[in-house]
Amino acid sequence: MENDIERVLVDEEVILKRLDVMAKEVRKDFPGEVLVVVVLLKGALVFASDLLRRVPRMLEIECINVASYHGGTESSGTVNFLDHKLPDVKGRKVLLLDDILDTGRTLKAVKDRLIEEGATEVKTGVLLAKDKERAEAVEADYVGFFIADEFVVGYGLDYQGRYRNLPYVGVLKAEAQ
Ligand code: IMP
Ligand code: MG
């Protein structure tokens, strides 16, 4: 698996240090409230797990399955909700977590949906945000790292379902794609 990586973009130590800072921001922004954290599967699994263990607040974790890539390296343009039932967020403050902000379609679609479902506030957090013009006018409230517009894997992010368990974020070799 490691042989398929051309270069490491953000190493594990740097990620975890940044999460310490992001966790403090979350703690400060939601003092005393029982938050609902909505984790977008599967990409945000690793990020959420490391971030939330740094937030010593009462919170509830929910997961939503969405698909926008269908296995390739380009966004398909549509966001599909794959669950029969979404978590109950009526009257709740929500922190929505995803692995990466790219075109913005996923974060926008899920955020709008949670507001439709009655969430009183939805803040968003991503480990990575690509520095580019977005198809949807959306930015995240908490961003780990801004990166160039290239396809990355690791620390939750996949290519065709693989590489999520790499402990760092890296760029795939062209021949591995
Ligand atoms: P968006 O809807 O275009 O913002 O894309 C967000 C989703 O696409 C994320 O949840 C990721 O699953 C996936 N994605 C976008 N860029 C990358 C990447 O560079 N590597 C792996 N997955 C990505
Ligand atoms: Mg993905």
Side-chain angles (χ1 to χ4, degrees):
M1 179 171 66
E2 307 246 354
N3 291 339
D4 291 349
I5 303 302
E6 184 173 291
R7 74 198 137 87
V8 175
L9 208 59
V10 197
D11 75 28
E12 189 176 12
E13 204 189 319
V14 172
I15 294 174
L16 296 180
K17 274 204 184 122
R18 179 75 186 116
L19 294 193
D20 287 337
V21 177
M22 290 174 87
K24 273 194 194 129
E25 288 173 26
V26 172
R27 248 150 59 193
K28 183 167 63 65
D29 290 353
F30 296 98
E33 286 142 78
V34 182
L35 260 189
V36 182
V37 181
V38 173
V39 180
L40 290 186
L41 295 179
K42 302 164 195 156
L45 202 59
V46 180
F47 166 51
S49 143
D50 280 345
L51 178 72
L52 297 177
R53 281 178 296 156
R54 289 169 163 74
V55 181
R57 287 267 185 282
M58 198 70 93
L59 52 81
E60 294 163 25
I61 301 177
E62 300 284 355
C63 298
I64 296 184
N65 251 294
V66 291
S68 62
Y69 258 53
H70 312 294
T73 61
E74 290 291 330
S75 172
S76 71
T78 53
V79 178
N80 296 311
F81 287 81
L82 305 176
D83 304 303
H84 295 296
K85 201 175 163 287
L86 290 178
D88 181 9
V89 294
K90 205 167 188 321
R92 305 292 302 274
K93 292 198 174 188
V94 174
L95 172 63
L96 170 62
L97 297 178
D98 200 4
D99 51 0
I100 189 165
L101 178 61
D102 181 15
T103 65
R105 289 192 184 101
T106 305
L107 214 58
K108 170 89 167 61
V110 180
K111 185 176 177 179
D112 286 355
R113 184 67 187 271
L114 292 170
I115 289 166
E116 257 174 55
E117 300 280 325
T120 53
E121 183 184 348
V122 180
K123 285 221 196 261
T124 53
V126 290
L127 175 75
L128 306 168
K130 287 188 186 171
D131 212 350
K132 67 190 275 191
E133 206 168 305
R134 312 218 186 281
E136 293 287 350
V138 62
E139 288 302 323
D141 297 293
Y142 312 99
V143 177
F145 305 92
F146 282 91
I147 63 165
D149 186 13
E150 57 189 341
F151 193 79
V152 294
V153 294
Y155 201 76
L157 292 111
D158 72 304
Y159 172 62
Q160 298 191 334
R162 297 180 177 174
Y163 305 101
R164 294 192 199 275
N165 55 321
L166 282 174
Y168 52 79
V169 174
V171 179
L172 264 188
K173 284 182 185 162
E175 61 261 37
Q177 295 188 20

